[in-house]
Amino acid sequence: MTPDGDTAYEHEIPQFGLGVFLMSDNGECKSAVLNAFEAGYTHIDTARAYNNEHEVGEAVRESGVERESVFITTKLRRAHAVGYDETIEHCRKSLKLLDMDYIDLYLVHAPPENPEHRAPVWQAMEYCLEQGMVKSIGVSNYGPAHLEAMKGYAKYMPSVNQVEFNPWLQRPALKQATEAAGAKIMAYSPLARGHKVTDPKLEKIANELDCTPAQVAIKFCYDEGCITIPKSSRPERIIENIASLDVDISSHYEEIKALECNYVSGWDPTTEP
Ligand SMILES: NC(=O)c1ccc[n+]([C@@H]2O[C@H](COP(=O)([O-])OP(=O)(O)OC[C@H]3O[C@@H](n4cnc5c(N)ncnc54)[C@H](OP(=O)(O)O)[C@@H]3O)[C@@H](O)[C@H]2O)c1
């Protein structure tokens, strides 16, 4: 979407996917992606920083799924977000590692550390979009001020802002700023990196809903309208997590909302200058 609200480069993003962060053992990511396709996932979220783009590409080819029927997100590493040419060069490198003709969604992993790099990096993302190297572009870990600044230099606004979001970190102001910028929240760490799956309050809700605690957390993010990308390397959890989409949590919505405690499980660059 342009800053004026006009639509450009429409590309539908599946609202549920598999995150592949911390899958660094040889073959771990490939096997998880193969299991995910088997379980019905159509969206994989990787990044250069995860060092497993090549395994995502191998899994797509080995699975036999049509390239067009799966959606691959990857990200420009923060350390590489230092200029226009560097951004294009690293997009090409990701295409090479994935061994694909295009990336479905390419994200700036976090606001470039040097504020002066933010405009040229985004303009290079727009170049990648216009060249067809990527089908959609977005940001990750951008706060309201970073999004607001984009209006001054962006030809196309980001389609998503990937940030930590879960029942314990619901970020109403950031969600509102993201949506006002025309983007969707892509919820990373929907299980707070696994730190909260044994939360007794969550367990009680899950028991009453006859589902698992992880399913409650995942479905909450999904029902809040977020693109939701839980990570698991275990085949049974990969199945459990996608099965959350069939769980009706509406009767316990207020109780889940009340789990909010501003808990950041990972990092949070959204408030950086
Ligand atoms: N843009 C960013 O800065 C950023 C930052 C963090 C994450 N992400 C993305 O978001 C994805 C998800 O976030 P995340 O990996 O940080 O954390 P997460 O999805 O919240 O949690 C993953 C952890 O929970 C465990 N788990 C998964 N399913 C479970 C279940 N059903 N029951 C109990 N435990 C379960 C996993 O262990 P097992 O693998 O052993 O099942 C793993 O330890 C990442 O993989 C990555 O793609 C992006």
Side-chain angles (χ1 to χ4, degrees):
M1 192 182 280
T2 68
D4 296 333
D6 293 335
T7 302
Y9 296 97
E10 272 188 290
H11 190 49
E12 200 173 324
I13 306 176
Q15 205 195 326
F16 184 79
L18 178 77
V20 299
F21 181 40
L22 297 182
M23 293 190 187
S24 45
D25 288 353
N26 203 8
E28 183 181 358
C29 171
K30 182 168 146 186
S31 148
V33 174
L34 285 168
N35 284 318
F37 289 152
E38 188 77 33
Y41 290 60
T42 54
H43 182 172
I44 307 297
D45 180 80
T46 181
R48 176 67 60 73
Y50 306 166
N51 202 21
N52 56 24
E53 289 168 302
H54 62 293
E55 288 199 23
V56 172
E58 282 166 24
V60 170
R61 285 184 294 285
E62 226 176 275
S63 68
V65 295
E66 296 287 329
R67 172 66 186 92
E68 297 71 33
S69 64
V70 290
F71 189 102
I72 307 299
T73 297
T74 190
K75 312 181 193 87
L76 174 72
R77 197 177 187 142
R78 198 176 206 193
H80 296 156
V82 292
Y84 187 89
D85 292 342
E86 292 83 349
T87 300
I88 297 168
E89 180 193 323
H90 282 288
C91 181
R92 292 211 172 99
K93 179 102 192 276
S94 283
L95 284 166
K96 201 160 177 198
L97 287 164
L98 288 159
D99 196 6
M100 289 177 180
D101 297 335
Y102 66 89
I103 291 160
D104 291 279
L105 173 61
Y106 195 43
L107 305 180
V108 183
H109 206 140
E113 264 164 316
N114 180 342
E116 286 181 15
H117 291 154
R118 291 177 190 157
V121 163
W122 186 252
Q123 284 149 3
M125 299 287 286
E126 295 176 330
Y127 172 87
C128 296
L129 179 70
E130 289 179 336
Q131 293 302 305
M133 295 154 70
V134 310
K135 301 262 186 202
S136 51
I137 50 177
V139 295
S140 177
N141 297 301
Y142 274 47
H146 305 126
L147 293 168
E148 189 56 36
M150 289 188 86
K151 292 182 188 156
Y153 60 74
K155 187 164 159 194
Y156 313 115
M157 291 299 281
S159 52
V160 307
N161 184 17
Q162 184 180 117
V163 296
E164 180 165 1
F165 181 97
N166 52 49
W168 307 277
L169 186 67
Q170 298 175 29
R171 326 192 89 159
L174 181 55
K175 191 162 186 284
Q176 195 189 25
T178 296
E179 287 165 359
K184 280 199 168 172
I185 291 276
M186 190 162 176
Y188 76 64
S189 306
L191 304 171
R193 299 199 178 189
H195 300 175
K196 292 285 191 181
V197 278
T198 53
D199 177 334
K201 287 186 194 153
L202 183 72
E203 282 181 335
K204 177 180 165 288
I205 296 168
N207 284 338
E208 288 170 9
L209 288 170
D210 199 20
C211 67
T212 69
Q215 288 177 327
V216 175
I218 293 167
K219 190 61 183 328
F220 173 76
C221 300
Y222 188 90
D223 283 355
E224 291 293 280
C226 305
I227 300 158
T228 308
I229 49 166
K231 175 264 174 185
S232 181
S233 302
R234 305 192 200 186
E236 69 283 5
R237 287 181 175 172
I238 287 173
I239 293 169
E240 173 188 331
N241 294 349
I242 195 171
S244 354
L245 304 191
D246 298 326
V247 177
D248 181 359
I249 59 165
S250 54
S251 59
H252 288 63
Y253 181 74
E254 293 305 331
E255 272 175 80
I256 306 167
K257 279 295 268 183
L259 294 173
E260 165 65 49
C261 57
N262 203 25
Y263 178 76
V264 176
S265 72
W267 65 331
D268 185 17
T270 62
T271 52
E272 288 178 15

